[in-house]
């Protein structure tokens, strides 16, 4: 090794030139971080500012230790920092997501009108579709679904569409539209179900925000696995999202339910974890599977309302 290094006269006698080739890295120039490594190990060094860059010299008797320490450093940091995994793009499905959000808004207008059904009656949408803990416990399961499509007031609706819609877009870009809506629906249903069994039998509520908090939880679960090496930079996002949702959705009236919001978030986290683990093992859902999951979500919602109106 000594034969590959030029000998120079430094401030304390014979010094050896420490080059990237000696350390065993492909760089053409000395890495600035090497100075910190040598300083941390209390190995003396000397810098010479020659063109085209710096020259690093160490005393001849410290050359072997300097090379050893730099090689250890390079080995430990060979793949650091790891690159961020590319976000999965699903921009072609933005129209689908927008359509679903517009349908929610349109349905809000429908239930506020005096629209007649085919049998000539005007349904009491809220009474038929809201979460009523006692009735759900006795078998009216459809309320777990239908309540997610009802909004207590215009503020509730706009909050879900604006803030919640943003998180839905983010999730759809990560895992696909059909799978996203299936997960969102699952988080909302599970959140309502868990809340029913911690409330009294007379407890009533409505709100898509249970599912919206589920979206935030799903994104948090995805981030724990997908961005685990960069999690310290990303964990505030889901928390900030949940806090932001509390502002427009936290005072919607007596028919809203903070407990259901919390359970929606808590169920969303494991759903996101499981989804990302499956994606990492078997790959992204195929287009046909994604489409089927989206259709299944629609069938569940329409079917729940069909049963409610029967």
């Amino acid at each position: 090794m000594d034969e590959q290094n030029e000998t120079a006269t430094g401030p304390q006698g014979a010094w050896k030139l420490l080059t990237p080739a000696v350390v065993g890295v492909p760089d053409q120039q000395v890495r600035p971080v090497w100075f910190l490594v040598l300083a941390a190990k209390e190995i003396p060094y000397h810098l010479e500012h020659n063109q085209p860059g710096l020259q690093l010299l160490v005393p001849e008797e410290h050359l072997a230790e300097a090379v050893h320490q730099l090689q250890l450093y390079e080995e430990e940091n060979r793949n650091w920092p790891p690159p961020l995994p590319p976000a999965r793009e699903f921009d072609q499905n933005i129209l689908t997501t927008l359509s679903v959000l517009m349908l929610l808004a349109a349905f809000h207008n429908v239930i506020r009108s005096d629209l007649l059904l085919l049998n000539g009656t005007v349904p009491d949408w809220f009474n038929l579709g809201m979460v009523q803990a006692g009735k759900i416990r006795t078998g009216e399961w459809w309320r777990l679904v239908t309540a997610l499509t009802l909004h207590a007031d215009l503020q509730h609706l706009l909050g879900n569409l604006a803030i919640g819609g943003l998180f839905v877009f983010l999730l759809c870009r990560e895992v696909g539209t059909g799978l996203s809506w299936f997960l969102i629906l699952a988080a909302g249903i599970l959140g309502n179900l868990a809340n029913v069994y911690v409330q009294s039998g007379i407890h009533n509520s409505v709100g898509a925000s249970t599912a919206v908090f589920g979206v935030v939880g799903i994104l948090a679960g995805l981030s724990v696995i997908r961005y685990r090496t960069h999690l310290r930079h990303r964990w505030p996002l889901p928390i900030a999202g949940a806090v932001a949702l509390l502002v427009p959705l936290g005072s919607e009236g007596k028919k809203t339910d903070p407990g259901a919001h919390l359970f929606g978030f808590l169920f969303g986290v494991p759903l996101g974890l499981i989804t990302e683990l499956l994606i990492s093992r078997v790959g992204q859902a195929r287009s046909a599977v994604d489409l089927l999951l989206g259709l299944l979500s629609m069938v569940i919602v329409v079917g729940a309302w069909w049963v409610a109106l029967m």
Side-chain angles (χ1 to χ4, degrees):
M1 182 181 299
D2 288 356
E3 294 178 357
Q4 298 174 0
N5 285 280
E6 297 180 7
T7 302
T9 301
Q12 300 176 0
W15 292 60
K16 290 289 186 177
L17 189 63
L18 193 55
T19 64
V22 173
V23 179
V25 296
D27 298 48
Q28 298 298 317
Q29 298 181 2
V30 172
R31 299 184 182 182
V33 72
W34 287 358
F35 314 150
L36 299 177
V37 175
L38 296 180
K41 296 300 180 179
E42 298 183 348
I43 298 174
Y45 65 89
H46 175 64
L47 298 177
E48 291 186 355
H49 297 270
N50 297 328
Q51 294 296 331
L54 295 175
Q55 286 188 332
L56 178 62
L57 298 100
V58 296
E60 187 172 7
E61 62 271 21
H62 292 283
L63 177 63
E65 178 64 15
V67 171
H68 176 67
Q69 293 298 334
L70 293 178
Q71 287 176 340
L72 287 178
Y73 169 82
E74 293 295 332
E75 180 65 27
E76 292 174 358
N77 296 275
R78 177 171 297 174
N79 297 316
W80 188 264
L84 280 171
R88 300 183 176 98
E89 298 291 341
F90 287 91
D91 291 343
Q92 68 272 21
N93 294 323
I94 287 180
L95 181 59
T96 303
T97 302
L98 276 174
S99 299
V100 174
L101 296 177
M102 292 174 64
L103 282 174
L104 287 174
F107 184 67
H108 179 73
N109 291 327
V110 168
I111 64 176
R112 295 290 179 176
S113 67
D114 295 328
L115 182 67
L116 294 175
L117 296 182
L118 294 178
N119 59 8
T121 62
V122 178
D124 185 347
W125 297 94
F126 276 86
N127 186 51
L128 292 172
M130 71 167 57
V131 166
Q132 292 184 325
K135 291 184 177 181
I136 290 176
R137 293 176 190 172
T138 58
E140 296 189 8
W141 57 267
W142 58 87
R143 295 178 180 273
L144 299 171
V145 182
T146 54
L148 297 173
T149 65
L150 298 173
H151 300 85
D153 50 38
L154 183 60
Q155 179 186 3
H156 186 194
L157 173 65
L158 294 178
N160 281 325
L161 293 181
I163 302 177
L166 174 61
F167 287 104
V168 172
F169 279 124
L170 292 175
L171 181 60
C172 289
R173 286 171 61 88
E174 292 291 328
V175 301
T177 301
L179 178 56
S180 292
W181 283 109
F182 181 79
L183 292 172
I184 293 167
L185 185 60
I189 293 173
L190 292 172
N192 279 338
L193 180 62
N195 192 54
V196 160
Y197 284 95
V198 300
Q199 302 287 354
S200 67
I202 61 172
H203 177 76
N204 299 332
S205 69
V206 297
S209 47
T210 303
V212 173
F213 275 88
V215 180
V216 179
I218 294 166
L219 286 170
L222 288 172
S223 296
V224 168
I225 303 297
R226 186 176 299 181
Y227 303 105
R228 53 189 176 274
T229 55
H230 299 269
L231 194 59
R232 64 182 183 277
H233 300 300
R234 298 181 65 90
W235 71 263
L237 273 176
I239 304 302
V243 172
L245 284 168
L246 288 175
V247 177
L249 305 181
S251 59
E252 301 154 358
K254 61 182 181 180
K255 292 183 179 179
T256 59
D257 191 350
H261 300 172
L262 174 62
F263 282 116
F265 178 83
L266 293 179
F267 277 103
V269 172
L271 286 173
L273 288 170
I274 294 170
T275 299
E276 183 59 25
L277 287 173
L278 288 175
I279 290 176
S280 64
R281 286 180 175 272
V282 302
Q284 189 66 40
R286 296 176 181 271
S287 298
V289 174
D290 193 64
L291 177 60
L292 287 175
L293 289 173
L295 292 175
L296 177 59
S297 302
M298 182 176 66
V299 168
I300 291 173
V301 174
V302 173
W305 270 115
W306 179 269
V307 175
L309 293 170
M310 292 295 291

